[in-house]
Amino acid sequence: MDLLNCIKEAGIVGCGGAGFPTHVKYAGGPVEYLIINGAECEPLLRTDRYIMKHLGDRVVSAVEAVGEMLGAKECRIALKKTYTEEIKALEKVLKDRDSKVKLAKMDSFYPAGDEQTMVYEVTGRVVPPAGIPLDVGCVVSNVATMLGISDAIEGKAFTKKYLTVTGEVKKPTVLHVPVGTSFETCIEMAGGTLKSRYFVVSGGPMMGARMTMEEAKTAVVTKTTSGILILPEDSSIARKTQISLQHMLNRARSACIQCSYCTQMCPRHLIGHPLQPHKIMRKLSMSGDVTKILDDKDVRNAAICCECGICEEYACPMGLQPKRVNQVLKGAFREAGIRYTREEAVYTADRNREGRKIPAGRVAARVGVMPWYDLKIDTCAEGTPDRVEIPVSMHIGAPSEPVVKAGDRVTEGQLIARIPEGAMGANIHASISGKVVSVDKRIIIERTGG
C-alpha cells in the first residue's frame, strides 16, 4: 500500500488544529516546502515539545517519507529558538540519519504556530486571504501528525493521543491515552485537581475550547485534543467566557475607542491580509446590529480571522472582544450563505511586523496563566481506561459512518467507523479492545474480562 493510502486507512488527521484529513491535504500534488509545525505557541502546552525531544527519530523518519511522496524540495521542522533541549535532540537525530530535513528556528512569539504566519516565517511567502499554504507551494503539518504517520507506516491506526494536563493539578504531565478517554480520567492521571471548583480549557488558553467543570465531565479526548488546562473558577479566562453574547455586543458598541491596537497587532493583518478589527468594531457600533453589516466590505474580512485572540487578550485597552465579534460574524455569514471572495492583489507583510510580534511570555502574563508558564513537564504517563467514548465527528468533513453495532466485540485498531462514500472525512478505529455498548454520535466501548 502506498503512503497516501496508509495515511487514509489509518485515519490520520491534523493534530494541531481542527483535524483536516491528512490524506486530503497531501493529495494536492507536489510542493516546494513541507513545513512541520513544532512551535506549540499556545502557553502551557508541552505535548509537541515532549514528542520532539523523546520521539524525534520517528518524527524525522515520517517527515522524510512524506517529503519524498510530495516531491518537496525543502523539508523544515519549524520550532522556537528557545526550545534548546528539543533542538539539541532533533539535531542529533538529523545528524545520525544524515537527513536532508532542516530546522527552522523562530523567535518566541505568539502565534508562531499559526499556519499562515509560519509559512511567512519559513519562506517569506504570504498565503492569500482565505487561501491555503498550497497556494504558495507549501504544506504544513503538525509534529504529532508526523508521529501518527510513523505509526501508519508500521500498519498502526490512529488510536492514541499525546496531550498535556497542567494548571491546577497535583502532577502536571504529558499523557498518552486512547482516543475517547474521558477528561475526568485524564485529570485523575495528573493527580487530581488542587481545587474543589475549577474551570477547564481543552487546548491552549488563547484558542482552546472553554468549559465549566460540569461540562468537562462529559468531554473526551479526540484526535485533535492537545491539552487539558485546569484553571481557577475565578480566572480571567473563566470570567470572560461568562460574559453573555448580548452584553459583549453592547460593550463593543459602547466602549470601542478606535485606538486600532487590535489591527496593529493582528498577526493576519501583519502578513498583509486586509483584516482590520477596529473597523469591524466601529461599524458594529454604528449599526447596532450584526445582521445589518454583513454586506460591508470591511466586515466581510472577519471571515479571514484566525481567532488567535491577540486582539482581545492582549491588544484591546478596553477589555473588548473583537475575536468573539468575528466569530459571531462568521456564524452569520454561514447562516446567510455568504462566502468570502478575495480580490486579486499582491499581499505583502507590514513593514512594522517584526516590532509588533508579541513575546509568548507577555501573552501568558496578560491572559493570566503565568503561574504555570515555566513549569518543566518532561514526564509521560500511559493511560489504559476501561471505557472510551469515541466521537464519530472529530475532524473537518462529514461524520464517519459506524460499521459496528451494540454488542459487537472489537479489538484495538479495528475499523469502527469509515469515511462516507464520496465525502471528505476520516476513518475511526477502536482505541481499546472490548465490547461495543452503544453506537450514536459516540461509539462507546468497554473492556471485558474474557
Side-chain angles (χ1 to χ4, degrees), residues 68 284 329:
E68 182 178 354
L284 174 62
L329 286 167

Side-chain angles (χ1 to χ4, degrees), residues 233-284:
E233 203 171 37
D234 61 349
S235 64
S236 171
I237 290 175
R239 290 198 307 271
K240 284 188 176 183
T241 305
Q242 292 163 1
I243 296 173
S244 71
L245 177 61
Q246 190 57 54
H247 183 57
M248 182 271 293
L249 291 174
N250 290 341
R251 289 178 61 189
R253 288 196 296 268
S254 63
C256 179
I257 59 174
Q258 285 295 292
C259 65
S260 80
Y261 290 165
C262 54
T263 294
Q264 292 178 42
M265 298 182 190
C266 171
R268 291 294 173 89
H269 180 79
L270 289 173
I271 62 172
H273 290 189
L275 175 60
Q276 299 183 76
H278 77 285
K279 289 187 177 182
I280 296 172
M281 299 293 279
R282 180 177 68 203
K283 291 179 178 181
L284 174 62

Side-chain angles (χ1 to χ4, degrees), residues 114 116 128-130 260-281 297-311 322-323 325-327 329-330 333 340 347-348 350 356:
D114 169 57
Q116 297 190 13
S260 80
Y261 290 165
C262 54
T263 294
Q264 292 178 42
M265 298 182 190
C266 171
R268 291 294 173 89
H269 180 79
L270 289 173
I271 62 172
H273 290 189
L275 175 60
Q276 299 183 76
H278 77 285
K279 289 187 177 182
I280 296 172
M281 299 293 279
K297 180 181 176 181
D298 290 323
V299 173
R300 289 281 181 95
N301 288 325
I304 58 176
C305 170
C306 67
E307 302 180 24
C308 69
I310 282 289
C311 54
K323 179 187 82 170
V325 167
N326 287 347
Q327 289 172 326
L329 286 167
K330 286 182 177 183
F333 294 149
Y340 183 84
Y347 298 96
T348 57
D350 190 296
R356 291 180 181 166

Side-chain angles (χ1 to χ4, degrees), residues 315-357:
C316 183
M318 303 301 290
L320 304 181
Q321 296 175 290
K323 179 187 82 170
R324 197 169 169 195
V325 167
N326 287 347
Q327 289 172 326
V328 170
L329 286 167
K330 286 182 177 183
F333 294 149
R334 286 192 295 270
E335 190 171 324
I338 298 173
R339 295 178 62 87
Y340 183 84
T341 55
R342 66 174 182 258
E343 298 178 353
E344 290 300 322
V346 176
Y347 298 96
T348 57
D350 190 296
R351 59 189 177 86
N352 296 308
R353 179 177 179 274
E354 286 300 313
R356 291 180 181 166
K357 289 180 180 177

Side-chain angles (χ1 to χ4, degrees), residues 124-198:
R125 300 173 182 179
V126 176
V127 177
I132 59 174
L134 195 60
D135 293 335
V136 292
C138 304
V139 162
V140 182
S141 282
N142 181 261
V143 164
T145 305
M146 289 297 113
L147 192 62
I149 291 173
S150 175
D151 284 337
I153 292 171
E154 298 174 0
K156 301 175 185 176
F158 188 171
T159 62
K160 291 186 176 182
K161 193 73 175 70
Y162 284 92
L163 65 143
T164 306
V165 183
T166 188
E168 291 286 337
V169 291
K170 295 175 183 176
K171 297 184 294 185
T173 187
V174 171
L175 300 183
H176 189 217
V177 297
V179 171
T181 301
S182 71
F183 274 27
E184 281 192 300
T185 296
C186 293
I187 294 168
E188 288 170 5
M189 291 177 64
T193 63
L194 294 171
K195 295 180 178 292
S196 59
R197 299 288 306 175
Y198 52 87

